[in-house]
Amino acid sequence: MQSEMHSCAVRCCDDTRKQPRMDNVQGCIDECATPLLKAQDYMQHELGQFQVRLQRCVMQCNDDVRSLIPNNTNEADMARFRNQFERCTIQCVDKHIDLIPNMMRAMKSVLSSGPNAMRHA
């Protein structure tokens, strides 16, 4: 995509007979960059959504364990609760790591479909 963007920009600069004004050339170059910018935006959005889902899972672990801790908790019990939180967190991370291959395939598919396929909420 980056190579195509640069090739397109070169054509804009070489084609000054049709677009002799600098602002027209710049507009053409900006249009060349649009697909790459959309792809970058799409990737940032998808990775951000992945990060948010992982954070929510870890926060749920935190909430679940906190709800189990009584007011008068000794150090041994706190260690047990920390261990429970860590196990839950590891499960979250493992679950999300398992999602990465499918997520990558889906993102590659969208990227190969072109800029118009890169819509997100």
Side-chain angles (χ1 to χ4, degrees):
M1 288 182 108
Q2 202 165 24
S3 175
E4 177 55 36
M5 178 196 69
H6 290 297
S7 296
C8 178
V10 167
R11 287 190 298 275
C12 292
C13 294
D14 287 346
D15 206 10
T16 55
R17 291 166 298 188
K18 291 181 186 173
Q19 301 179 34
R21 294 186 44 205
M22 189 61 187
D23 57 339
N24 289 345
V25 173
Q26 187 59 50
C28 179
I29 291 170
D30 291 345
E31 285 182 37
C32 294
T34 298
L36 183 61
L37 294 174
K38 281 186 174 184
Q40 288 173 336
D41 184 49
Y42 168 73
M43 294 290 293
Q44 277 187 315
H45 175 77
E46 291 300 308
L47 294 173
Q49 290 297 103
F50 178 81
Q51 184 177 11
V52 165
R53 288 190 301 269
L54 178 58
Q55 287 172 336
R56 273 197 318 255
C57 186
V58 172
M59 286 171 48
Q60 186 64 52
C61 291
N62 187 45
D63 292 345
D64 291 348
V65 170
R66 280 183 182 260
S67 69
L68 299 174
I69 300 174
N71 287 338
N72 298 338
T73 304
N74 62 36
E75 192 56 39
D77 286 338
M78 283 306 293
R80 189 172 48 85
F81 289 123
R82 274 193 297 275
N83 191 335
Q84 189 174 348
F85 171 73
E86 288 171 7
R87 282 193 317 270
C88 182
T89 300
I90 288 168
Q91 288 175 344
C92 286
V93 171
D94 288 345
K95 174 185 168 188
H96 283 79
I97 286 173
D98 290 343
L99 296 174
I100 290 173
N102 285 338
M103 183 180 78
M104 294 300 291
R105 276 192 291 279
M107 288 178 4
K108 285 179 183 179
S109 175
V110 168
L111 289 170
S112 67
S113 296
N116 292 331
M118 296 176 217
R119 296 185 186 120
H120 56 74

